[in-house]
Amino acid sequence: MRIILAAAAVVMLAALAFAAPWLQFVLTLAIAKGFAALGVAVLLRAGLISIGHAMFFAASAYGAAFLARAGINDLGLLLILSVLVSALIGAIAGSFLVRYRAIFFAMLNLAVSMVFYALCAKLYGVTGGTDGLPVPIPAVFGIVFAEPVFKSILFYLSLMLMVLVGLVVHRYLDSPLGHALSAVHSNEIRLEYLGIPVWAVLLIAYTISAALAGLGGAIAGLAIGRVVPDFAFWTASGHLVLIAVLGGIGGVPGAFIGALFLELLHSAAVTVTDAWNLFVGITLIVVIMFMPQGIYGLFERKEAQSS
Amino acid sequence: MSRPILEAKNLRVAFNGVKAADGASIAIHDGEFLAIIGPNGSGKTTLLNICTGYIRPISGSVLLDGNDITRMSPRAIARRGVARAFQIPQLFSAQRVIDNMMLALAAKDGLWSAIRPLETAERRDEAKALLELVGLDGDTDRISSTLPEGHRKLLDIAVALALKPRLLLLDEPTSGVSALERFPLMEALMSALRQRRITALFVEHDMDVVARYASRVLVWNAGNIMAEGRPDEVFGNAQVRERVVGVA
């Protein structure tokens, strides 16, 4: 039942983008943010809230810009290398951040990401300062397409990656390592007494979550065509937490549901009022009060009732 | 007698001036069921904490198979075949009973096979067999936080058994377990320990349980050993009867 629903949702998204090509950009950005929110959701399973994951989102987008400037002009290669950059930064930052818990973990992530933001904004000669850097349209299998065609290709590639990466992350969360990650939230003492190294479990999760945020950042950079320091600003990190909570952390689709919901809500709300945040705020209040498992929790509950 | 599996020598530990171990030494040999009894606050749980690396003594050493493990972490000691069940059950309370068991089995088998799911038919069967052993086969799919206290205790013991230890440390295994379930649990536990050749050290307040199941009893009082020997010898000691058992 769950697989049928997920497949139907993917087909519907593809059809929607085909029928209304102007939506492709919005949906690509939503999927990109969905990847980053999935990274945040992975850590939320261990009870760790990161208010700094926009750093990895931005690092990967900057990575794509630098790599393009260095002459790497292939979409696949750019995506892979950018994700590796963010995963590497994640592994380095994670090696000391995962020693902390609760508010200390959240604040340290915030602090590190703000240092990164400041560097991006101030190192004008390297990063272009607040103007940022362009991310040129790369070739796809050696062919350079016109911008509208490339944006379509990027959307359908993102959609495909959402399915593939989603399945891989689902497998990871269902593995002993994924269950150990959830168990960190329940009882670290018991994990240690089982002989499981909590630090290593968390470091792997942190690196995976950074790679996911990085994948989102690379897609966003390519979709927008530019990367600016605001990608790493703390409000962007807060936005990712909001998406994860809104969508629900009970399963992989939650992050993408939250991102799609929020992007579409934003797109609709800005046509009515400048105060679109009002809609977002009210929605979040409703979700937290009446749907503590997020929007995805509704599907899970329905499925549990029907079985 | 063979070389001890676990030896604690000249342990000294104090909390705010109160001595939990004051130069005491203990040893447990292969195949023994050593019971540690003593008044509340005498340092029995502290002894288990030291032996499993949770607390480091001020002085003294802990040897496992003759190797010094005094400064090792609980994780490192667990990987050397020492498992523990706690006085207050330490469970993954948000997860199902079966998941608690399967994670323990996976920890033993190799946690790093990240591609295979936690739940395999083989692992589920093994987990169910252990749950059946402690009488929790009816609670397999319950979330462990919803179990009554006695059942949580049983699950904690089953999780420790899932590690297939050589040495099992049990902190008050029958506390919180109903009087009706106490002896059936101990029978099942002892049978599992014998079948799997697991040596056990258990802290216990129920003297009937100690008298029936311990092969040796050690009386711990104010950080020292007050008496030691076979259950009938120890319970025949007037000082022990007066101060620990509560019978003059």
Side-chain angles (χ1 to χ4, degrees):
Chain A
M1 182 66 183
R2 200 178 292 187
I3 294 168
I4 295 168
L5 264 178
V10 171
V11 170
M12 212 173 74
L13 276 177
L16 192 66
F18 186 76
W22 60 272
L23 260 178
Q24 283 176 4
F25 177 71
V26 175
L27 295 177
T28 306
L29 270 190
I31 293 171
K33 289 180 184 177
F35 278 119
L38 180 58
V40 172
V42 164
L43 291 176
L44 278 172
R45 285 184 165 244
L48 298 175
I49 303 172
S50 168
I51 321 176
H53 256 52
M55 175 173 80
F56 304 113
F57 190 81
S60 182
Y62 273 106
F66 286 131
L67 289 165
R69 197 188 267 184
I72 294 172
N73 190 33
D74 179 77
L75 176 62
L77 205 56
L78 272 181
L79 282 176
I80 292 168
L81 292 175
S82 307
V83 170
L84 286 177
V85 166
S86 54
L88 180 67
I89 297 173
I92 294 167
S95 63
F96 70 94
L97 289 173
V98 300
R99 294 176 193 278
Y100 297 89
R101 300 288 180 271
I103 191 74
F104 305 103
F105 178 82
M107 289 296 116
L108 275 170
N109 272 277
L110 174 66
V112 172
S113 75
M114 287 310 286
V115 169
F116 183 83
Y117 166 79
L119 288 173
C120 292
K122 299 297 177 190
L123 295 176
Y124 189 85
V126 184
T127 62
T130 49
D131 292 341
L133 292 173
V135 185
I137 293 174
V140 182
F141 297 118
I143 306 164
V144 179
F145 293 96
E147 190 176 337
V149 180
F150 173 73
K151 294 283 165 76
S152 285
I153 292 171
L154 188 62
F155 166 71
Y156 288 107
L157 176 68
S158 304
L159 198 62
M160 198 176 76
L161 284 173
M162 181 177 84
V163 175
L164 292 177
V165 174
L167 285 171
V168 171
V169 174
H170 174 75
R171 199 67 194 250
Y172 157 67
L173 293 175
D174 198 33
S175 74
L177 212 50
H179 279 266
L181 178 68
S182 303
V184 171
H185 192 30
S186 289
N187 198 328
E188 275 191 49
I189 292 175
R190 178 41 99 185
L191 271 180
E192 284 286 332
Y193 273 93
L194 291 183
I196 296 173
V198 173
W199 181 79
V201 168
L202 287 178
L203 182 60
I204 289 169
Y206 196 90
T207 306
I208 290 172
S209 82
L212 287 167
L215 178 57
I219 292 170
L222 287 162
I224 296 167
R226 177 164 285 279
V227 50
V228 290
D230 278 358
F231 272 37
F233 198 58
W234 72 270
T235 50
S237 294
H239 192 68
L240 297 178
V241 176
L242 185 124
I243 291 171
V245 172
L246 195 68
I249 63 165
V252 171
F256 294 103
I257 292 170
L260 287 162
F261 179 80
L262 214 57
E263 278 301 311
L264 292 174
L265 178 73
H266 175 213
S267 299
V270 287
T271 61
V272 180
T273 171
D274 285 344
W276 62 272
N277 267 326
L278 188 71
F279 288 96
V280 174
I282 291 169
T283 307
L284 191 65
I285 291 169
V286 169
V287 167
I288 289 174
M289 288 184 74
F290 301 106
M291 294 184 275
Q293 306 301 317
I295 301 170
Y296 182 64
L298 286 179
F299 294 101
E300 280 194 314
R301 209 184 308 164
K302 276 254 185 284
E303 196 180 54
Q305 280 168 357
S306 62
S307 65
Chain B
M1 193 176 268
S2 61
R3 192 169 76 171
I5 288 188
L6 186 86
E7 252 183 307
K9 289 179 177 174
N10 307 316
L11 294 179
R12 284 184 201 281
V13 181
F15 301 106
N16 299 323
V18 178
K19 289 172 181 169
D22 189 19
S25 298
I26 67 157
I28 179 160
H29 297 82
D30 201 18
E32 271 196 312
F33 303 123
L34 173 64
I36 299 184
I37 61 171
N40 283 329
S42 60
K44 303 183 296 296
T45 298
T46 300
L47 178 66
L48 297 195
N49 284 338
I50 294 170
C51 292
T52 53
Y54 196 68
I55 289 177
R56 302 232 161 108
I58 297 166
S59 66
S61 58
V62 182
L63 307 177
L64 182 68
D65 294 323
N67 301 310
D68 194 342
I69 58 164
T70 322
R71 305 271 153 200
M72 283 186 185
S73 65
R75 171 167 37 100
I77 294 171
R79 297 206 78 82
R80 280 166 175 75
V82 180
R84 178 174 181 183
F86 295 80
Q87 187 177 1
I88 298 164
Q90 297 293 329
L91 304 172
F92 305 123
S93 46
Q95 301 193 6
R96 292 178 309 164
V97 167
I98 192 87
D99 291 334
N100 272 264
M101 293 300 299
M102 289 193 296
L103 190 52
L105 289 167
K108 183 73 184 164
D109 297 344
L111 182 74
W112 310 110
S113 58
I115 305 300
R116 289 179 70 199
L118 175 71
E119 185 166 344
T120 59
E122 189 187 337
R123 201 174 277 147
R124 192 179 170 85
D125 289 347
E126 202 175 344
K128 282 180 101 169
L130 279 167
L131 288 172
E132 201 177 328
L133 180 81
V134 296
L136 287 181
D137 42 328
D139 293 321
T140 315
D141 291 318
R142 276 181 77 169
I143 299 295
S144 57
S145 63
T146 65
L147 292 175
E149 185 59 20
H151 286 203
R152 286 169 57 78
K153 192 94 192 174
L154 298 177
L155 178 57
D156 197 45
I157 294 170
V159 165
L161 283 172
L163 290 175
K164 305 178 180 88
R166 286 195 307 124
L167 176 63
L168 179 60
L169 310 181
L170 300 142
D171 200 348
E172 300 192 26
T174 64
S175 74
V177 179
S178 74
L180 281 176
E181 289 171 320
R182 199 163 294 172
F183 286 102
L185 162 71
M186 282 308 293
E187 287 295 336
L189 180 62
M190 296 307 286
S191 147
L193 295 178
R194 282 190 199 102
Q195 265 176 31
R196 291 153 206 246
R197 297 171 188 275
I198 299 171
T199 304
L201 182 158
F202 63 105
V203 168
E204 185 56 70
H205 279 291
D206 187 323
M207 297 305 149
D208 291 334
V209 168
V210 173
R212 191 184 293 191
Y213 298 105
S215 58
R216 185 159 63 95
V217 181
L218 194 147
V219 186
W220 195 265
N221 188 30
N224 273 305
I225 296 165
M226 182 197 276
E228 189 179 355
R230 288 198 321 271
D232 56 323
E233 289 169 358
V234 169
F235 291 129
N237 180 320
Q239 201 184 11
V240 171
R241 287 171 66 83
E242 186 186 338
R243 292 202 190 167
V244 181
V245 183
V247 181

